[in-house]
Amino acid sequence: MTAQEAYKEFEKRCRELAVIQSSAAVLGWEERTYMPPNGAGLRAEQLSYMSGLFHEKFTDPKFGELLSTVEASDMMKDPESPEAVNIRETRRMYDKQTKLPRELVEELTKTTTLAQGEWVKARKASDFKAFLPWLEKVVKLLKQKAEAYGYEGEPYNALLDDYEPGATVDDVATVFEQLRNDLVDLLGRIKDAKKKPDQGIVNRAFDVDRQKVFGEMVSAAFGFDFQSGRLDITAHPFCSGFGPGDTRITTRYNPNRLTDALFGIMHETGHALYEMGLNKDKYFGLPMGESISLGIHESQSRMWENQVGRSRPFWEYSLPQAKRIFREALEGVSLDDFYGAINYVTPSFIRVEADEATYNLHILLRFELERAIMNDDIPLKDVADEWRKRFKKYFGIEVDNDANGCLQDVHWSAGYIGYFPTYTLGNLYAAQFFAKAKEELPGLEEDIAGGYTGRLLDWLREKIHQQGQRYRATKLCEKVTGKPLSHKPLVDYMNRKFGEIYGI
Ligand code: CO
């Protein structure tokens, strides 16, 4: 078989794999949106069958041979050519998948499914001791997983690589440390500020049907294509890009607060714009048509949510529209008051409810603990106490119970150690990309104040979305912004923004 023939066969198999995976994604989306409760048993069987089928086809030694044939040819000469990228990134996944013993994969799936159930109960009762044996089981299996993958430096690197390919714990820790120092300083100044916005403006009755209309309007204005996607309701909002022409987002509405659903929709729209912007017509199922990392994915959602959606220019245009839709709730509300209310900063226990300024501290705390856990620096039985200690130090408030502390997130029970840092990486990338976009697109903020965000989307499509997995996240950042990832753009952006709002 020639390299060309092998590549054709490789493409055919990748598309088949993508069809299986996207079918499973439809089932997963439906499970969380419309499935009746009694359908859960059948759905679990359907999904498990699909993932078995995927694994079998993906780890087929014949598939590995196709990769080797192309790798030995001159098709790999230019490492940035679509063919070379597709083979390189598929090889990476193939090696990872085939390194994990089947028993370990099954054991992990079984244990994390049970652990998530036990976590729900433990969180409800705020009982860390009840969850501890499950945490021990999950961590033990994740250590085995790290060993099976192999790693340089710390075992955490092996896990991080699943979510942020190529990132290392040392690089992440360096940027995070610098960010932490500046954040603690900013939060101290905000706490002492004389001027405080009134958050009450957004905590009023907002009709849910009208929230839906307004949310869809904003999403469509950002560029979400409702002929190629839908917005539905779920308890935990998410975005799922099935493939060409079909990307789903979800939200949840709070009748007594405007911001939960609205900024949630902006966030998921940002994820969806990335999915819709990937070149899936040409590269469906191939790395050139897929997102590069969770950190870059999150940078797209955070940019639309924060740099655009929580900006003053955006509300210069959108507040009058919002007032026409929510006449009573927003009557007499000025732009200054509204802008202050949606950017209100206050330390709180729960990560997913945190404001833009405190959010990253929640992540830094989790990252430090996870790293210590994987290095055996903290005995697992002390995790809840360690959490409380660090929380007090960073946020200045005492955690009242473990449901508001180390039991609040699903990640550890689900086996997702190494996932948390991608949230803050996303915020850092978002700020750095947006600063560059402003520089390259003069008048961008005036555009946004006029209700037009199309130039930003075009810029993101060209610089990021259309690149697929051509460059690793760190390299993409350098290509797009001319500089390696730094804490500076995010810190500058926050100092400017909160400095103005809080008069500090
Ligand atoms: Co997100």
Side-chain angles (χ1 to χ4, degrees), residues 210-228:
R210 283 168 184 263
Q211 285 194 47
K212 183 168 181 283
V213 169
F214 190 62
E216 284 181 344
M217 222 168 82
V218 169
S219 181
F222 283 177
F224 188 90
D225 174 6
F226 281 87
Q227 293 301 309
S228 300

Side-chain angles (χ1 to χ4, degrees), residues 267-268 271 297-298 301-302 423:
H267 182 97
E268 300 309 332
H271 281 303
H297 226 304
E298 190 71 1
S301 59
R302 288 304 234 177
Y423 293 116

Side-chain angles (χ1 to χ4, degrees), residues 5 13 51 62 67 69 77 94 183 196 263 266-267 274 292 358 376 381 383 409 464 473 482:
E5 285 163 352
R13 287 187 180 218
S51 78
K62 183 79 211 310
L67 294 174
T69 306
K77 244 188 354 221
Y94 181 81
L183 276 183
K196 295 257 191 296
F263 290 104
M266 291 182 190
H267 182 97
Y274 188 10
I292 184 65
T358 55
D376 291 323
K381 65 173 176 43
V383 163
D409 296 299
I464 297 167

Side-chain angles (χ1 to χ4, degrees), residues 413-430:
S413 64
Y416 297 161
I417 287 185
Y419 190 121
F420 281 125
T422 67
Y423 293 116
T424 287
L425 287 172
N427 288 324
L428 292 163
Y429 282 127

Side-chain angles (χ1 to χ4, degrees), residues 486-501:
S486 151
H487 66 296
K488 273 246 176 301
L490 181 60
V491 170
D492 289 347
Y493 155 80
M494 284 201 192
N495 278 335
R496 219 169 31 243
K497 177 174 187 173
F498 296 106
E500 185 208 325
I501 294 170

